[in-house]
Amino acid sequence: MLTKFYRVYIQKAPKSRISRYLYVLSLIFLVTAYFQWERYILNPLLKLEEMHSSHGVIQAVYTGKFRSLVFNNEKFGVALSGLDRKAMVNQNAKVWYQVLKGIFGKRKIIYQIQIRDWLLRDDYAEYYREQAEYQKYAIPNIVFYIAGIVAIFVMIWIRHKDEVYDNEVEPINKPR
């Protein structure tokens, strides 16, 4: 039975254009399900009071595709937009961050920065409510993506299971 699975999914299916598209679609579903699981199940967003906080000086701010900053000689990712490089460097600040676990290890993400009486995110409570709303749908989304992957592999099985032994002839005298 294991050889039949091998022949269907490894030998026959990749030769079909439709099956290759289905493999790519299942990979997209798998990656999306993983990111949903990592973001909302493994690392649920904390309230500001529950996060780690630290005081110190912001040494560098990097804006672009991946926003980050160096704070107390340690690099943090930033889940905020509107970082002003010139206004923030060399300022005393308080940051609230969360340590997120993932497939590539742990990383620290800053969710709020306070410089004097200025907060980068004006209403963290509203942001938390929005994220909690998304978190409610995480498990149904993951179940949907996993069901999609199973359905794709069933379609590939149904499409190719009869092709496996069509062109092969069993030998009459099997070697010993």
Side-chain angles (χ1 to χ4, degrees):
M1 187 66 166
L2 188 60
T3 59
K4 192 166 186 174
F5 282 113
Y6 173 79
R7 289 182 180 182
V8 168
Y9 290 114
I10 305 299
Q11 288 180 339
K12 294 292 181 178
K15 294 177 183 173
S16 165
R17 181 183 300 234
I18 292 172
S19 295
R20 286 193 304 258
Y21 289 137
L22 290 174
Y23 278 157
V24 170
L25 183 62
S26 67
L27 181 65
I28 291 169
F29 278 7
L30 182 66
V31 169
T32 306
Y34 170 76
F35 283 126
Q36 290 267 323
W37 172 77
E38 181 184 299
R39 176 65 186 103
Y40 296 112
I41 308 300
L42 185 61
N43 299 304
L45 186 64
L46 301 174
K47 294 182 179 177
L48 214 52
E49 304 83 39
E50 299 169 337
M51 287 188 184
H52 301 283
S53 65
S54 183
H55 293 275
V57 176
I58 298 173
Q59 283 105 3
V61 176
Y62 303 102
T63 58
K65 186 165 184 140
F66 298 105
R67 295 180 300 266
S68 63
L69 61 84
V70 178
F71 182 77
N72 291 342
N73 296 322
E74 194 172 356
K75 192 169 182 178
F76 289 83
V78 182
L80 300 163
S81 57
L83 296 177
D84 185 6
R85 192 179 304 188
K86 293 176 183 172
M88 296 177 75
V89 175
N90 296 325
Q91 295 287 328
N92 286 323
K94 180 177 181 181
V95 298
W96 287 267
Y97 65 93
Q98 184 174 353
V99 179
L100 302 180
K101 295 172 269 186
I103 196 167
F104 300 113
K106 294 181 179 180
R107 62 192 190 282
K108 296 178 181 178
I109 304 294
I110 293 176
Y111 286 95
Q112 182 62 287
I113 299 173
Q114 179 181 7
I115 299 174
R116 295 184 207 91
D117 13 332
W118 174 74
L119 291 172
L120 191 57
R121 180 176 277 133
D122 292 330
D123 191 6
Y124 182 82
E126 178 64 29
Y127 175 76
Y128 179 79
R129 279 192 294 279
E130 289 172 5
Q131 294 300 313
E133 188 69 27
Y134 296 142
Q135 192 169 340
K136 280 196 260 182
Y137 299 111
I139 292 176
N141 286 345
I142 292 170
V143 169
F144 170 77
Y145 292 126
I146 299 301
I149 292 169
V150 169
I152 286 170
F153 278 90
V154 167
M155 287 189 305
I156 291 171
W157 177 261
I158 290 170
R159 181 174 167 84
H160 295 287
K161 70 178 171 127
D162 296 331
E163 297 174 12
V164 171
Y165 294 111
D166 285 351
N167 298 331
E168 299 174 10
V169 178
E170 276 193 46
I172 297 172
N173 296 328
K174 294 183 181 177
R176 292 180 190 219

